[in-house]
Amino acid sequence: MKPGKMLVVDLGKEESWEEEIAPKIMKDYVGGRGLGAYLLCKNAPAKTDPLGPDNPIIFSIGPSEATNAFYGSRVVMTCKSPLTNIYLFTMASGTFGHALKNCGYDVLMIKGQSAYPMYLWINNDQVQFRNANLVWGKTTDEAHNSILAELGRQDA
């Protein structure tokens, strides 16, 4: 099995970097849920405040993502739960996991806290921290359309 690839984004420092995930970890914790749980345990100490900047938000995908496998289009979001103060995960379908894999990543980990509203523009291996003041307070559709117009793309 080949190593996995994780994109780590620190919102407070406005920095991003890639980390390799060992093949043994990819094999032992196969799938988005297992991998997310493993990475949460490694990156969020027991005393981490679930609502604080040290609680990472981890988006992970499984090995069937971006393939033609049925039900393969899932992304798992993992973090420390504000309700239980332990593990939280949720799954979503759609195009996010597919796009993440097509950028070459198995995991996106977001940590830190921004000093202002921002959104991330990830295009292949390029990460941009973009000011989101223009979309602050808008509805989801209005914000989405504003961001697409700013990017000059309809496929984001």
Side-chain angles (χ1 to χ4, degrees):
M1 180 169 250
K2 67 180 190 169
K5 199 161 128 182
M6 175 168 61
L7 175 63
V8 182
V9 174
D10 187 319
L11 299 177
K13 296 178 182 175
E14 293 190 29
E15 296 177 354
S16 65
W17 61 92
E18 293 179 1
E19 292 183 8
E20 189 174 278
I21 304 170
K24 180 172 178 21
I25 300 303
M26 294 298 289
K27 182 179 179 217
D28 289 352
Y29 299 94
V30 73
R33 185 173 175 190
L35 188 56
Y38 170 82
L39 291 170
L40 180 66
C41 288
K42 290 292 182 188
N43 290 281
K47 302 278 186 203
T48 299
D49 177 0
L51 296 175
D54 295 330
N55 184 17
I57 299 173
I58 302 164
F59 297 92
S60 50
I61 57 176
S64 63
E65 187 62 60
T67 69
N68 290 327
F70 290 110
Y71 305 106
S73 181
R74 295 279 188 270
V75 63
V76 178
M77 190 279 299
T78 308
C79 65
K80 189 171 182 186
S81 170
L83 179 63
T84 64
N85 208 31
I86 53 175
Y87 171 68
L88 175 146
F89 82 94
T90 188
M91 292 184 201
S93 57
T95 60
F96 179 69
H98 187 82
L100 185 64
K101 187 65 174 180
N102 283 334
C103 287
Y105 301 112
D106 300 289
V107 176
L108 168 63
M109 180 185 299
I110 301 174
K111 41 202 246 179
Q113 180 176 340
S114 175
Y116 61 91
M118 76 166 51
Y119 70 92
L120 294 173
W121 169 239
I122 303 170
N123 188 19
N124 297 318
D125 61 351
Q126 301 297 311
V127 178
Q128 294 178 16
F129 299 84
R130 300 251 178 147
N131 191 311
N133 279 323
L134 293 175
V135 298
W136 205 247
K138 291 186 176 186
T139 66
T140 304
D141 283 339
E142 291 169 341
H144 181 240
N145 291 332
S146 292
I147 289 171
L148 292 179
E150 180 182 333
L151 296 172
R153 297 182 61 152
Q154 292 301 308
D155 62 342

